[in-house]
Amino acid sequence: MISEQIRINMTNTASPQEMLHDWLWAFVNAKKRAYNENPQMFALNTQYVDSNPLVLRDVLWDSYQIIDGFMEYHDPQFERAEAILSAFAVFSLPSFKESWNSPDYQERFERIWSLIKQGV
């Protein structure tokens, strides 16, 4: 349900890196919205998906495909896409949910982005 909420405007995006940045920002904000707007469903999802790494990987498979497509990696198992999304785990794993409404939320996101953007 999270990935279905992600909408980015690709007409103003100049590079695959910018598309990736915007998509990641939309992804983490969709997760944050799910936590804030539907805590019961979020808790259920956490119990059945986020607490099981193999199930979580299956659920994230479509997101890995999207990232792989933006970046034109053509990785059969989406290794680089998985690594990129993993770098933002603090914004998507439920164990960090209490920090998602902190005033420095976007600043922390941008700090991680700055660390990885040259490597994508």
Side-chain angles (χ1 to χ4, degrees), residues 31 49-50 52-61 64 93:
K31 191 83 174 194
V49 176
D50 288 311
N52 184 330
L54 296 178
V55 173
L56 180 58
R57 189 166 194 261
D58 276 349
V59 168
L60 291 174
W61 196 258
Y64 299 155
L93 292 180

Side-chain angles (χ1 to χ4, degrees), residues 7-32:
R7 304 281 185 265
I8 60 169
N9 182 356
M10 293 190 280
T11 57
N12 297 329
T13 306
S15 72
Q17 261 191 346
E18 288 175 5
M19 271 195 301
L20 177 62
H21 173 276
D22 293 350
W23 187 89
L24 288 166
W25 180 242
F27 178 84
V28 302
N29 278 292
K31 191 83 174 194
K32 178 181 172 181

Side-chain angles (χ1 to χ4, degrees), residues 25-69:
W25 180 242
F27 178 84
V28 302
N29 278 292
K31 191 83 174 194
K32 178 181 172 181
R33 263 191 319 281
Y35 166 62
N36 286 322
E37 295 172 6
N38 196 343
Q40 293 87 4
M41 182 60 88
F42 185 85
L44 186 64
N45 183 62
T46 297
Q47 182 179 357
Y48 291 105
V49 176
D50 288 311
S51 60
N52 184 330
L54 296 178
V55 173
L56 180 58
R57 189 166 194 261
D58 276 349
V59 168
L60 291 174
W61 196 258
D62 289 342
S63 297
Y64 299 155
Q65 288 177 315
I66 291 167
I67 293 170
D68 188 82

